[in-house]
Amino acid sequence: MTRLISAGRDTFSYPDRGATARLPLPAGYNHLRHRARVGHGRAAFEAAGIAVTTFHAHRTSGMLVRAADGPVRPGGRVVVGIGFGPLRIDAPCEVVWTAYEPARVGFAYGTLSGHPECGEESFVVEIDPDGTVWFTVTAFSRPNSWYTRLAGPVIPFLQLRYARRLGRHVRRLAAAA
């Protein structure tokens, strides 16, 4: 079942909450969709789902993540640290929807005030009827600070590179199962 939080929150930095749960993505943003095969079988699906919904995959890919322990839940606050040392930028987000279904597990978080971008990103693990396990990152975003506006087309390029990196880490974690 996919759960979406109330649209009444005023701390989000964009109006299209929950849009990664459906297509098409809203206009006026850069769009990202990256899908990677990460394994085969129920054990790989479960391991990948746990890695994604506990931020273990994010952490092993090099991101600094501050979030509550355990699986993500709608309304959970997350701060992702981007960069290194004094050049690190804290990017605050909130989980807007989750999916804990027999063939689909994942979540999306949306940007909060203070995030260098505005938009939403989802991380979903699915298992096909033939047992193939997929990991998909879907996002829409646009600059929300002077430095992301200045970086221009570099930001979508970096987002795609990170989605691919995250896919490789989910694959490794699923294979360990």
Side-chain angles (χ1 to χ4, degrees):
M1 176 173 108
T2 301
R3 292 185 57 210
L4 178 65
I5 68 165
S6 165
R9 302 251 174 142
D10 62 352
T11 58
F12 286 97
S13 61
Y14 67 105
D16 305 293
R17 287 181 292 284
T20 55
R22 59 191 178 278
L23 294 176
L25 294 174
Y29 298 90
N30 296 310
H31 294 170
L32 168 71
R33 185 160 172 88
H34 175 68
R35 188 173 192 227
R37 185 181 184 280
V38 296
H40 191 272
R42 181 59 53 180
F45 170 73
E46 290 174 4
I50 290 169
V52 168
T53 59
T54 61
F55 293 105
H56 185 63
H58 288 74
R59 289 181 176 110
T60 62
S61 71
M63 296 302 277
L64 297 172
V65 179
R66 290 192 311 262
D69 290 335
V72 295
R73 297 283 179 238
R77 295 286 175 113
V78 180
V79 177
V80 179
I82 302 167
F84 300 98
L87 300 177
R88 191 177 86 218
I89 298 166
D90 285 338
C93 300
E94 186 171 315
V95 176
V96 294
W97 62 260
T98 59
Y100 291 99
E101 302 165 8
R104 183 173 173 260
V105 175
F107 72 97
Y109 54 45
T111 60
L112 297 173
S113 299
H115 195 292
E117 291 279 300
C118 65
E120 190 172 294
E121 191 166 22
S122 69
F123 309 92
V124 177
V125 177
E126 297 173 289
I127 187 168
D128 286 344
D130 71 358
T132 304
V133 180
W134 298 93
F135 172 66
T136 305
V137 177
T138 304
F140 61 92
S141 64
R142 62 180 172 228
N144 195 37
S145 65
W146 66 268
Y147 51 89
T148 53
R149 281 189 285 282
L150 183 66
V154 173
I155 300 298
F157 170 76
L158 293 174
Q159 289 171 330
L160 177 59
R161 284 200 51 184
Y162 181 67
R164 289 178 177 163
R165 178 181 175 87
L166 193 56
R168 287 190 301 274
H169 282 267
V170 172
R171 183 180 308 115
R172 281 190 208 119
L173 295 166

